[in-house]
Amino acid sequence: PFWLTVALPLAVPCKLFPHGQWRTMLQGQVYTWGFCTHGQLGLKEKILGAREYVEIPTHIGMTSEISHAEVKAADCGHFHTVVVDSKGSVFSFGRDDRGQLGRGGDSDLLNHPRHVPQCVKSLGNSIVVNVTCGAFHCLAMTIDSTLLSWGWNQHGQLGRDTQYHTDPMPAPVRTAAGVNSGAKHC
């Protein structure tokens, strides 16, 4: 991460993510721009049309579940983004081929497309305070310091045993002291 001044009302911290994606938070709202080949910017297709690149910072939640939420934390992997609101709810959007959105068990995926920010229902009983993402996995820290992980686990990056190389359901990591992750590790 690094600081970049952009054409917004204030100089705000921006983070450059893989594949030319940018995210920034301004007064509790998330703005995204850059490449959007898998819905990782959180913008509906009707906003994007046939374009794969968004040139200007665009608010992600205009018609989604987070349109009026105050966002406290946000991070992303290669083609997905995860945000936490002030109530501790987690929202995810983008590519989900390795369970990285944490929406396993969501039987209503047809009505909740991946490119629109949606609440991670399986975390509904948890108050999450921070989130971080690797290339294809995520970690979330709850208010009681429980570390949860989900997504791709081919190299053990979830910090727990899984039956398959992917686990789309958030579950506790063995032990944790903080939250940080890399492309294929925690």
Side-chain angles (χ1 to χ4, degrees):
F2 59 92
W3 294 87
L4 173 73
T5 303
V6 294
L8 294 173
L10 303 169
V12 295
C14 294
K15 187 173 179 183
L16 173 63
F17 294 98
H19 309 289
Q21 305 155 44
W22 291 87
R23 311 283 191 284
T24 189
M25 289 182 14
L26 178 64
Q27 298 176 348
Q29 297 295 305
V30 177
Y31 292 79
T32 62
W33 64 101
F35 286 104
C36 190
T37 53
H38 299 283
Q40 67 267 35
L41 297 184
L43 306 173
K44 285 189 165 189
E45 288 181 18
K46 65 182 177 183
I47 294 172
L48 286 174
R51 295 180 297 148
E52 290 184 349
Y53 190 82
V54 176
E55 296 84 10
I56 59 172
T58 304
H59 186 272
I60 64 170
M62 299 308 285
T63 58
S64 74
E65 293 183 17
I66 62 170
S67 60
H68 299 293
E70 181 182 0
V71 175
K72 291 295 188 182
D75 203 11
C76 73
H78 280 319
F79 299 109
H80 70 286
T81 304
V82 180
V83 299
V84 180
D85 72 5
S86 61
K87 296 177 183 177
S89 298
V90 177
F91 300 84
S92 63
F93 45 96
R95 189 173 178 173
D96 194 29
D97 61 327
R98 295 179 182 146
Q100 60 265 48
L101 296 186
R103 295 190 201 169
D106 188 350
S107 60
D108 198 20
L109 287 176
L110 291 177
N111 293 324
H112 296 102
R114 297 178 323 225
H115 61 273
V116 177
Q118 294 293 323
C119 188
V120 178
K121 294 177 184 176
S122 58
L123 291 172
N125 293 330
S126 300
I127 299 173
V128 174
V129 295
N130 197 10
V131 67
T132 187
C133 300
F136 302 102
H137 70 284
C138 298
L139 303 170
M141 181 68 74
T142 66
I143 197 164
D144 64 358
S145 297
T146 300
L147 183 63
L148 305 167
S149 65
W150 63 92
W152 194 35
N153 196 35
Q154 185 173 7
H155 306 290
Q157 58 268 53
L158 296 186
R160 57 187 173 85
D161 293 328
T162 57
Q163 186 173 358
Y164 302 102
H165 288 309
T166 63
D167 189 354
M169 294 294 293
V173 172
R174 289 183 213 111
T175 60
V179 177
N180 202 355
S181 66
K184 295 181 182 175
H185 66 281
C186 298

